[in-house]
Amino acid sequence: MNKRGLFITVEGGEGVGKSTGVNLLRDFLSRNGVDIVTTREPGGTKIGEEIRDLLLRNRQENVSAITELLLIFAARAQHIHDVIEPALAAGSWVLCDRFTDATYAYQCGGRGVSTEIVRGLEEMVQRELRPDYTLLLDGPVQIGMSRARNRGELDRIEQETLEFFERVRMNYLEQATNSGGRYRVVDASLSLNEVEVEILRFGGELLTCWTQRLAGSWRN
């Protein structure tokens, strides 16, 4: 019998190594026999990637917080419909670089959008869909932004103030505290080897949880 897959997200601010973390976790799970779909937000679909470009492109026009928020959820709706739900239903695991926790962090924490507005959109677009587990790569904002600048030209979001990103970070940490165990927080300011060890440990825990879940289903 086909069992619904796990939905795993990787979150964090700018320059914390999310892309590296996603790739490391994907490769580890794949080597251990997991059929895994890797994707990202905003994006993941053709429409989603076009919206991503709209959101991140540098422009003189001021983008309102609500415009930004609605574009994010428009991309998310298509992403869920085309990629996430079909993969989970087929029994694959989905590993997503950012999801709605990022919206709470950036739009609520950073922009000051009401959590009630985001929660309403979350319920409308996602219904019951929520991540099963989340890896948060956390580190000092100044270190992360220094890394982001070293990558090249900053996009529209990356050009926000340090104070903005401090609010984003605090919101992420608050979500982690209140997540009921869904979050694993890794200190992204550690050495690359130390961060990799923690990410692989998280991957091992996912495999253990999955094995236990399957065993419970078999007993039932």
Side-chain angles (χ1 to χ4, degrees):
M1 184 176 64
N2 214 4
K3 187 173 180 65
R4 184 176 177 84
L6 287 181
F7 183 24
I8 306 149
T9 56
V10 178
E11 298 281 358
E14 309 305 319
V16 295
K18 283 188 301 80
S19 297
T20 301
V22 166
N23 292 336
L24 183 66
L25 192 55
R26 176 202 62 203
D27 292 346
F28 171 80
L29 294 173
S30 182
R31 287 196 305 270
N32 282 276
V34 176
D35 181 13
I36 191 157
V37 173
T38 306
T39 188
R40 69 175 182 177
E41 287 215 346
T45 66
K46 183 176 180 180
I47 293 174
E49 292 296 329
E50 291 174 358
I51 293 173
R52 180 186 182 90
D53 181 64
L54 282 173
L55 285 165
L56 299 184
R57 187 190 312 159
N58 289 310
R59 61 183 73 242
Q60 292 183 340
E61 179 184 16
N62 182 49
V63 180
S64 80
I66 294 300
T67 298
E68 187 176 81
L69 176 67
L70 293 175
L71 284 171
I72 288 168
F73 268 102
R76 183 165 295 141
Q78 194 72 26
H79 193 201
I80 291 169
H81 180 270
D82 287 359
V83 177
I84 297 175
E85 278 292 359
L88 293 174
S92 300
W93 292 22
V94 174
L95 177 61
C96 191
D97 184 340
R98 291 197 173 127
F99 196 62
T100 310
D101 290 356
T103 308
Y104 282 106
Y106 279 76
Q107 277 64 54
C108 297
R111 302 279 188 225
V113 174
S114 165
T115 56
E116 286 73 21
I117 292 175
V118 174
R119 191 172 295 119
L121 289 168
E122 181 181 32
E123 292 174 358
M124 178 183 71
V125 170
Q126 299 172 216
R127 299 186 181 181
E128 300 301 317
L129 178 66
R130 301 292 186 276
D132 294 295
Y133 301 98
T134 297
L135 174 67
L136 174 63
L137 296 172
D138 172 66
V141 168
Q142 288 188 334
I143 293 176
M145 290 310 302
S146 176
R147 293 173 179 172
R149 283 189 290 270
N150 288 336
R151 292 196 302 247
E153 183 182 359
L154 300 179
D155 63 37
R156 186 180 67 85
I157 303 297
E158 290 171 336
Q159 291 183 17
E160 285 292 344
T161 65
L162 290 178
E163 290 76 16
F164 173 88
F165 290 114
E166 289 288 359
R167 295 194 298 271
V168 169
R169 184 189 184 195
M170 291 303 104
N171 187 283
Y172 265 134
L173 292 173
E174 183 178 352
Q175 289 186 71
T177 299
N178 297 325
S179 70
R182 170 167 65 89
Y183 265 69
R184 161 60 71 88
V185 181
V186 171
D187 184 353
S189 67
L190 297 173
S191 71
L192 179 59
N193 286 342
E194 289 173 310
V195 171
E196 288 181 352
V197 166
E198 292 302 316
I199 292 173
L200 293 178
R201 181 175 291 126
F202 173 70
E205 291 170 356
L206 292 175
L207 293 173
T208 299
C209 291
W210 182 249
T211 300
Q212 292 173 345
R213 182 182 296 190
L214 290 178
S217 298
W218 179 259
R219 285 195 299 271
N220 293 333

